[in-house]
Amino acid sequence: MSNVAPPLPPGDLDPYRPEALEDPYPLYARLREQGPATYEPERDIWLVPGYAEAAAVLRDHRSFVSGDGATYESALGRTERYPLIETDPPEHTRIRRAVQPPFARAEIEHLRPGIEAAATEIVDGALARGEVDAVPDLAQPMPDRAMALLTGLVPPSCQALVDWSDAVVRAQEPGADPRHGELLGAALAWMIGEGIPGLPAHCLGRLITDEGGTTGGLHAEGPERLMTLASIWLAGVDSTGALLGNAIDAFTEFPDQWELLRARPDLIGNAVEELLRFEAPFRVFYRRTRAQAQVGGVAIPAGATVCAVLGSTGRDPRQFADPDRLDVTRENARTHLALGTSIHLCLGAPVARLEATAMLTELTRRVARFERTGDAVRSPSGTMRKFDTLPVRLVPAGGRA
Ligand code: HEM
């Protein structure tokens, strides 16, 4: 009798199948059962779904490089790379040092008053309406406001920014539509033609474009300064919007956790980590091999495309007990990989955390519970786990509404 598992139907483990996009967690569980790394022939990718193995891939930047592309689409056909996410040391180190200081926790604290005021205004508007689409009415306006405060770039509208940020991600995934590339071009054209000329005197945008960052290390010749600013600006919108939409859905599904958070606002910081663990906004990030490598004892050939399935790592029972349950008191929630790890750890993590904390603080004070009022629609994005539409009623807390 053979011990070999029967072959799976072609495409069975493809994470980009529509059913897997709608509810990826059953597929992720099967992938973890398959072993540390599984080759998916339809997409020609190696899927790494386990927490420990994906963390090892992300930490080993010599074997698993970002310079050939950190998304599904390889960067090998392009002459330019996104300055942070698609570079490796020493280039990555030089660029990261130039932009890291403004992202220190103490620096980001300066944004707090503006971000908290934005949270109050956003929740005021939503409560005045009562029944809202949580995506445009609660989730998306916060990163729109926060990125303007952070960078100094004030886009023509929240919707334009949301569409541009979505396009950056979608242009690099299977089934990319030429429209996504056009939108990305429009974003860059706006940034160069209107955004940068309109920047205030002292802001992150000027620090990067005029001075080459804190160290002055960003090259003045070529597009490096512009693309560094664009990367930071557009990386922070769709991702944080996804987190906030997913959060409202999660608390609709787990009302006991909302009640607990309302009673224990000291848990809000941990709740943000738990929400990131529970539904990683970026389902996947990629690396490439240039020589043979291994993942948990599985040999990966040179020239392979390796997919760290971040969405699966948060549900790995070897790392998180009872992983399909949202638990705002979870002690190791903060060990999630939803913001990456090691040298490419999310640069904007303190900003995203501040935005989510401000929104949850305001909402827990003023909303007793969320009730679904219609069908929610998930985005077809194969990269970003987010909603396109999330109709909810905000039931005001007693007293102040
Ligand atoms: C909840 C919101 C966010 C999530 C889930 C998220 C997730 C991630 C992840 C997983 C990575 C690592 C990618 C890799 O290893 O290849 C990353 C990197 C990055 N993120 Fe975020 N991010 C968020 C918000 C932000 C914000 C607000 C900004 C900007 C203010 C930002 C800017 C960046 C940049 C520039 C990088 C590249 C860092 C590098 O390669 O050194 N992100 N993010």
Side-chain angles (χ1 to χ4, degrees), residues 84-85 92 96 150 232 236 239 282 287 338-340 344 346 348:
L84 286 159
I85 206 120
H92 176 268
R96 182 102 190 193
L150 174 74
I232 293 171
S239 48
F282 282 100
R287 297 292 187 264
L339 295 165
H344 291 281
C346 178

Side-chain angles (χ1 to χ4, degrees), residues 71-93:
T71 54
Y72 174 77
E73 284 298 333
S74 161
L76 288 170
R78 285 188 268 128
T79 48
E80 297 297 339
R81 298 286 181 272
Y82 283 99
L84 286 159
I85 206 120
E86 289 183 343
T87 51
D88 297 297
E91 197 187 0
H92 176 268
T93 318

Side-chain angles (χ1 to χ4, degrees), residues 80-81 83 191 219-230:
E80 297 297 339
R81 298 286 181 272
M191 190 187 84
H219 294 153
E221 59 287 352
E224 188 168 279
R225 291 183 179 185
L226 288 178
M227 291 311 288
T228 300
L229 176 58

